[in-house]
């Protein structure tokens, strides 16, 4: 606090005393500094003018997005890459409502975020004032918690609580709505040291009895399998998961959100399960007698919305920090509420757990080898799977890759074998188009030493490509890979498979020339239509010190396989196009 | 099955909205909801009457606990509890029917709380079913207005198991 005193609000050190008065907006920024916030993403406007006036001193770095949705996705990407809460600021009314998609995206994937909105002065609230929207009410179902600050004296406590709630237990977005009069009101600054919230005490230590039951089941199981989800990544439990799986000799399936939580090259790894999962992962789920879900929520892209025919031979163990997840989607034999890291530490702790199932491991590894992910490569036209594979090989699998939702997302999940956590940044739960590119900018700002690749469709890129302005002005060296099939690929695929090829509004003709568009922002861009061009363009883009875009023109009718239709069993996998 | 949830919440603006927002998307039909101060300063007790199977009720309790403003959730249907509701009902009543109406409400331990030239207001408390019966008995006189508070409830203490 001392070192910032000379800058914020122009106060000199001699003026820094417990009696010094600050405005609400100065207090807010001091709180953010106390929370070790490095960077803010946002967009100014009338109701946040006092906050931006306090930012004028430049103590906190602020990235000016070109749309509030870009700002919040960037803050989200920063949070996912670093594990620290992302912070976004938007003005009242339209500024705040533009955050909604981003808040819902963060909520669904349990991302710690603090979203600060300005609001009209309190005496105007409820009068349909200019740029007034009830953002507390609008966001109520999609926040972990929210605050309306009605008194400047509450501000430090609220900010402290907001960061605590956002980043502990099952993380999530917290909204702080600050009316303009509160931002202007004056008070002394004192940041609380501890936080105490009566109704908020997340359980992190598992019940020892349930751990003992788990050990017993593992010892008796013949066909155990681990289903590891995003909770492993959030908890930072990748080491513990590896130790657990290796010690107990249990094969591991990772969900989309869990990719990178267990190394993609590990012999015990069977890939991703579910709608576009591997044969080995899905058949392991069909056969297993002990399914250990770790920080995974058994959502409908894994169970196909059919819990009645999902893993029917298995006793299900469910480890999750959120008690509400347990029993929500599947019946649970052993519930273990706790932080994944602590649970796994407890499980491997004393007596060695080990299942005796060499035959089972042989069997699942046999499936993994016999039924690999495959696609029909071509020398005439670029195949999107080949492009992803090429990214993987040229980066040694070490890059952070962000995606939107859809075909490109699934190809990344299938063909980029993530070696470490916090490397795949994807909108898994909400499935938000336009997420990946701004998220990549935030991830790169949080992890400057890593290569960050935004793999994106030509549809999704057009939802937030205006954020090229930040990439350009702040020289953020993100590499954008457009998987350009001139279609809304996944919708097209569903229309082909489920709607008798009645293609309706999936043709993206009229899209801009992405190379020219990118160059208009002063960012380097290449186009690739053949493997030779692709190899060359990607090498140049990767070597370029600043932001760069490669527009890969890929086969427009390529589909994602394997595929299980919603409502079908995991044994009903479509392995590929019949024509092929 | 019918359930009566007793939910202790922070006495904060919007806390009712937080609870109903949570129940709505999960398709919980709220039969009644009542809120008032509790025995602890700063906390309110919310009594929610709803219907659902065991799975649904377990889910709704867990989801309620996720709200920061929710302190404690009890399903009063699990234990003996006292449930009461207050009814105010205005019925048509002239000089000829006043006495008759007074006679009807008397066994319900209800009382007449207001009398006008053409109507009278009756106040009754009790379980929901009892109030439903009273309303039916008063219907022939012409019901002008009804206001009901919804159910409020407390679990019985085991030592004094009856009222």
């Amino acid at each position: 606090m001392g070192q910032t005193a000379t800058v914020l609000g122009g106060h000199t050190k001699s003026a820094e005393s417990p009696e010094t008065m600050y405005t609400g907006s100065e207090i807010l920024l001091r709180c953010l500094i106390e929370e070790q916030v490095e960077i803010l993403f946002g967009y100014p406007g009338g109701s946040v003018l006092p906050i931006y006036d306090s930012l004028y001193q430049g103590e906190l770095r602020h990235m000016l997005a070109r749309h509030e949705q870009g700002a919040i996705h960037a803050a989200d990407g920063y949070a996912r890459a670093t594990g620290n809460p992302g912070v976004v600021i938007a003005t009242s009314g339209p500024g705040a409502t533009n955050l909604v998609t981003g808040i819902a995206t963060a909520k669904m994937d349990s991302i710690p975020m603090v979203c600060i909105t300005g609001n009209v002065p309190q005496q105007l609230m409820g009068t349909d004032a200019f740029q007034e929207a009830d953002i507390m009410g609008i966001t109520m179902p999609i926040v972990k918690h929210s605050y309306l600050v009605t008194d400047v004296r509450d501000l430090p406590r609220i900010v402290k609580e907001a960061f605590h709630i956002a980043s502990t237990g099952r993380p999530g977005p917290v909204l702080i709505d600050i009316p303009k009069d509160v931002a202007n009101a004056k008070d002394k600054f004192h940041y609380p040291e501890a936080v105490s919230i009566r109704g908020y005490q997340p359980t992190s230590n598992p019940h020892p009895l349930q751990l003992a039951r788990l050990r017993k089941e593992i010892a008796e199981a013949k066909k155990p399998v681990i289903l590891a989800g995003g909770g492993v990544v959030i908890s930072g439990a990748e080491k513990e998961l590896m130790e657990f799986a290796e010690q107990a000799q249990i094969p591991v399936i990772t969900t989309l959100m869990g990719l990178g939580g267990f190394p993609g090259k590990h012999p015990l790894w069977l890939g991703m399960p579910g709608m576009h999962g591997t044969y080995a992962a899905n058949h392991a789920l069909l056969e297993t007698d002990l399914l250990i879900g770790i920080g995974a929520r058994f959502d409908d892209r894994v169970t196909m919305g059919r819990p009645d025919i999902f893993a029917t031979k298995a006793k299900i163990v469910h480890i999750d920090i959120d008690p509400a997840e347990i029993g929500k989607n599947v019946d649970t034999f052993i519930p273990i509420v706790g932080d994944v890291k602590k649970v796994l530490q407890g499980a491997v702790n004393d007596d060695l757990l080990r299942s005796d199932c060499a035959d089972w491991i042989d069997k699942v590894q046999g499936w993994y080898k016999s039924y690999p992910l495959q696609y029909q490569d071509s020398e005439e036209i670029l195949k999107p799977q080949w492009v992803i594979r090429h990214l993987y090989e040229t980066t040694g699998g070490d890059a952070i890759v962000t995606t939107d939702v859809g075909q490109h997302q699934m190809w990344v999940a299938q063909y980029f074998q993530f070696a470490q956590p916090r490397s795949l940044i994807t909108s898994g739960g909400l499935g938000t188009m336009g997420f990946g590119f701004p998220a990549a900018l935030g991830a790169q700002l949080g992890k400057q030493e890593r290569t960050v690749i935004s793999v994106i469709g030509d549809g999704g890129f057009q939802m937030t490509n205006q954020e090229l302005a930040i990439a350009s002005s702040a020289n953020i060296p993100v590499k954008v890979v457009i998987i350009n099939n001139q279609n809304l690929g996944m919708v097209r695929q569903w229309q082909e498979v489920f709607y008798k090829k009645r293609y309706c509004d999936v043709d993206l003709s009229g899209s801009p020339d992405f190379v020219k568009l990118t160059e208009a922002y002063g960012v380097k861009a290449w186009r690739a239509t053949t493997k030779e061009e692709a190899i060359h363009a990607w090498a140049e883009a990767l070597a370029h010190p600043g932001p760069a875009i490669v527009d890969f023109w890929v086969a427009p009718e390529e589909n994602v396989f394997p595929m299980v239709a919603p409502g079908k069993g995991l044994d009903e996998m479509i392995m590929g196009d019949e024509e092929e | 099955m019918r359930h009566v949830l007793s939910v202790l919440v922070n006495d904060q603006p919007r806390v009712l909205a937080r609870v109903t927002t949570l129940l709505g998307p999960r398709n919980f039909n709220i039969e009644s909801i009542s809120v008032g101060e509790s025995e602890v300063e700063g906390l309110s007790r919310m009594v929610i009457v709803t219907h659902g199977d065991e799975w649904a009720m377990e889910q709704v309790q867990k989801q309620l606990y996720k709200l920061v403003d929710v302190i404690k959730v009890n399903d009063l249907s699990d234990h003996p509890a006292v449930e009461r509701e207050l009814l105010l009902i205005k019925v048509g009543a002239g000089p000829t029917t006043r006495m008759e109406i007074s006679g009807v409400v008397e066994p319900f331990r209800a009382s007449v709380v207001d009398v006008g030239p053409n109507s009278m207001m009756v106040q009754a408390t009790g379980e929901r079913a009892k109030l439903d019966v009273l309303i039916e008995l008063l219907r022939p006189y012409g019901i002008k207005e009804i206001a009901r508070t919804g159910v409020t409830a407390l679990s019985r203490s085991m030592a004094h198991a009856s009222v």
Side-chain angles (χ1 to χ4, degrees):
Chain A
M1 165 168 144
Q3 71 193 75
T4 65
T6 49
V7 182
L8 272 171
H11 290 282
T12 61
K13 259 208 167 113
S14 57
E16 169 78 4
S17 82
E19 296 307 310
T20 308
M21 299 295 277
Y22 301 96
T23 64
S25 58
E26 286 166 353
I27 289 171
L28 172 70
L29 298 193
R30 290 178 157 263
C31 294
L32 298 180
I33 290 166
E34 291 283 342
E35 290 295 334
Q36 268 126 52
V37 173
E38 307 174 308
I39 189 163
L40 310 171
F41 301 86
Y43 207 102
S47 294
V48 286
L49 276 169
I51 298 174
Y52 278 82
D53 187 56
S54 299
L55 277 168
Y56 183 72
Q57 299 291 343
E59 183 67 22
L60 269 165
R61 190 174 181 199
H62 177 273
M63 299 302 299
L64 174 63
R66 294 302 185 269
H67 187 296
E68 287 86 353
Q69 186 181 353
I72 189 165
H73 290 328
D76 183 325
Y78 172 88
R80 292 183 201 230
T82 63
N84 302 323
V87 183
V88 62
I89 300 181
T91 193
S92 61
T97 56
N98 278 344
L99 295 180
V100 169
T101 302
I103 297 173
T105 303
K107 177 72 168 6
M108 287 287 266
D109 290 341
S110 310
I111 306 304
M113 300 265 285
V114 174
C115 309
I116 298 163
T117 49
N119 209 328
V120 299
Q122 288 182 82
Q123 73 269 19
L124 288 180
M125 286 177 80
T127 67
D128 300 326
F130 176 65
Q131 291 197 329
E132 182 188 0
D134 175 18
I135 197 62
M136 286 272 289
I138 289 167
T139 58
M140 204 164 268
I142 52 168
V143 293
K144 186 172 173 188
H145 194 48
S146 50
Y147 293 92
L148 170 68
V149 190
T150 55
D151 187 329
V152 70
R153 288 172 295 180
D154 296 334
L155 192 52
R157 172 186 61 79
I158 285 173
V159 176
K160 179 92 182 171
E161 288 184 6
F163 275 86
H164 178 70
I165 290 171
S167 57
T168 54
R170 180 181 184 170
V174 177
L175 178 94
I176 308 177
D177 196 26
I178 307 177
K180 196 172 183 179
D181 57 308
V182 172
N184 283 326
K186 289 198 165 183
D187 193 26
K188 298 185 275 271
F189 177 67
H190 170 69
Y191 202 60
E193 276 167 23
V195 64
S196 152
I197 307 164
R198 176 146 55 171
Y200 182 75
Q201 275 122 19
T203 309
S204 63
N205 290 314
H207 199 290
L209 209 67
Q210 303 293 38
L211 284 183
R213 286 180 69 200
L214 170 63
R215 273 193 286 267
K216 180 170 162 287
E217 290 302 329
I218 289 174
E220 288 171 6
K222 296 279 173 280
K223 298 174 176 181
V225 72
I226 290 169
L227 177 67
V232 172
V233 174
I234 293 168
S235 176
E238 63 278 2
K239 219 179 84 235
E240 287 77 7
L241 174 61
M242 173 103 78
E243 207 181 330
F244 179 74
E246 286 182 344
Q247 190 177 317
Q249 280 299 297
I250 302 177
V252 178
I253 299 166
T254 42
T255 69
L256 179 66
M257 297 309 292
L259 290 173
F262 193 78
K265 279 185 176 167
H266 198 286
L268 284 172
W269 190 62
L270 303 181
M272 182 176 77
M275 185 172 275
H276 297 296
T278 61
Y279 182 93
N282 282 346
H283 280 258
L285 288 172
L286 288 163
E287 286 284 307
T288 178
D289 62 355
L290 181 67
L291 174 54
I292 307 171
I294 306 179
R297 59 190 175 89
F298 298 93
D299 90 316
D300 57 275
R301 284 307 191 254
V302 171
T303 67
M304 309 314 297
R306 289 294 301 275
D308 54 319
I309 52 170
F310 175 76
T312 47
K313 298 173 185 168
K315 290 175 176 173
I316 296 181
V317 180
H318 195 173
I319 302 169
D320 206 294
I321 198 158
D322 180 358
E325 282 304 336
I326 290 168
K328 185 178 85 176
N329 292 331
V330 292
D331 286 336
T332 306
F333 183 67
I334 307 180
I336 305 181
V337 177
D339 176 40
V340 165
K341 189 173 189 147
K342 289 185 176 170
V343 174
L344 294 179
Q345 280 168 348
V348 290
N349 205 338
D350 34 300
D351 43 355
L352 270 171
L353 74 165
R354 181 179 253 289
S355 66
D356 180 23
C357 10
D359 291 351
W360 167 244
I361 290 177
D362 282 349
K363 191 172 183 181
V364 296
Q365 285 176 336
W367 284 334
Y368 191 68
K369 289 190 190 82
S370 309
Y371 302 95
L373 292 164
Q374 53 190 336
Y375 63 96
Q376 201 78 36
D377 201 7
S378 164
E379 294 310 315
E380 278 80 54
I381 189 159
L382 273 178
K383 286 297 183 94
Q385 301 95 328
W386 180 89
V387 174
I388 305 300
R389 206 64 204 164
H390 185 63
L391 303 178
Y392 174 67
E393 283 158 7
T394 50
T395 56
D398 191 35
I400 291 176
V401 181
T402 73
T403 80
D404 277 9
V405 63
Q407 287 187 321
H408 72 280
Q409 177 192 40
M410 289 298 108
W411 286 319
V412 165
Q414 292 177 334
Y415 291 98
F416 201 105
Q417 284 174 283
F418 291 91
Q420 49 175 317
R422 301 199 178 280
S423 297
L424 172 61
I425 292 179
T426 187
S427 175
L430 197 67
T432 306
M433 288 177 72
F435 166 79
F437 173 51
L441 299 172
Q444 184 77 79
L445 288 163
K447 289 281 175 191
Q448 310 210 351
E449 70 283 6
R450 295 194 58 190
T451 300
V452 177
I453 306 172
S454 160
V455 177
I456 200 158
D458 46 325
F461 189 49
Q462 291 182 73
M463 288 204 174
T464 49
N465 63 16
Q466 75 283 347
E467 304 308 337
L468 280 167
I470 315 187
S472 177
S473 65
N475 196 34
I476 304 167
V478 162
K479 312 300 170 195
V480 179
V481 169
I482 305 176
I483 301 295
N484 187 345
N485 58 6
Q486 290 107 56
N487 269 280
L488 292 174
M490 189 60 95
V491 182
R492 198 207 62 84
Q493 177 170 343
W494 281 52
Q495 289 180 346
E496 178 184 330
V497 178
F498 302 123
Y499 293 88
K500 302 191 176 110
K501 300 193 181 184
R502 287 157 57 88
Y503 299 124
C504 185
D505 291 298
V506 290
D507 178 350
L508 288 174
S509 50
S511 298
D513 176 328
F514 290 112
V515 171
K516 282 186 181 165
L517 177 80
T518 305
E519 285 169 351
Y521 279 94
V523 172
K524 292 277 275 181
W526 289 263
R527 174 168 298 120
T529 57
T530 64
K531 279 185 182 175
E532 197 186 345
E533 285 173 8
I535 292 167
H536 177 74
W538 177 243
E540 289 208 26
L542 207 52
H544 179 65
I549 284 182
V550 185
D551 181 18
F552 291 94
W553 285 22
V554 300
E557 301 201 336
E558 193 69 15
N559 286 335
V560 180
F561 289 112
M563 181 177 192
V564 184
K568 298 281 186 184
L570 291 176
D571 55 334
E572 296 178 77
M573 296 178 73
I574 308 165
M575 297 304 286
D577 270 323
E578 281 160 31
E579 297 87 13
E580 283 182 0
Chain B
M1 190 191 154
R2 181 173 175 272
H3 290 262
V4 180
L5 296 179
S6 173
V7 188
L8 212 55
V9 298
N10 281 325
D11 181 11
Q12 289 273 338
R14 301 222 192 217
V15 67
L16 181 61
R18 287 187 203 274
V19 168
T20 51
T21 299
L22 182 131
L23 297 174
R26 291 174 177 82
N27 264 327
F28 274 93
N29 183 29
I30 299 173
E31 184 181 297
S32 78
I33 190 162
S34 71
V35 199
E37 292 156 350
S38 75
E39 68 282 4
V40 185
E41 199 184 327
L43 298 187
S44 300
R45 188 178 304 280
M46 204 175 271
V47 176
I48 303 167
V49 182
T50 183
H51 293 261
D53 59 21
E54 199 182 323
W55 174 85
M57 293 320 295
E58 187 184 323
Q59 262 301 304
V60 82
Q61 289 193 45
K62 285 173 166 178
Q63 295 290 343
L64 281 169
Y65 269 120
K66 287 179 75 169
L67 294 177
V68 172
D69 281 331
V70 168
I71 311 297
K72 182 111 188 83
V73 185
N74 263 322
D75 190 341
L76 296 181
S77 322
D78 295 345
H79 309 286
V82 176
E83 286 179 36
R84 291 294 180 268
E85 183 174 356
L86 184 123
L87 163 76
L88 292 175
I89 180 165
K90 202 184 281 178
V91 290
T96 53
T97 50
R98 273 187 206 132
M99 284 303 291
E100 196 178 321
I101 291 171
S102 298
V104 168
V105 305
E106 200 252 307
F108 289 84
R109 292 191 204 166
S111 50
V112 174
V113 291
D114 184 54
V115 179
N118 300 310
S119 70
M120 56 200 284
M121 194 195 299
V122 174
Q123 166 194 305
T125 56
E127 289 185 7
R128 209 170 165 77
K130 170 182 142 182
L131 303 183
D132 290 344
V133 171
L134 178 60
I135 291 171
E136 285 317 305
L137 288 172
L138 292 175
R139 198 175 294 284
Y141 301 98
I143 294 170
K144 293 177 180 294
E145 280 181 287
I146 288 179
R148 302 177 74 152
T149 59
V151 171
T152 193
L154 280 178
S155 62
R156 287 183 188 275
S157 77
M158 292 306 147
H160 315 281
S162 65
V163 171

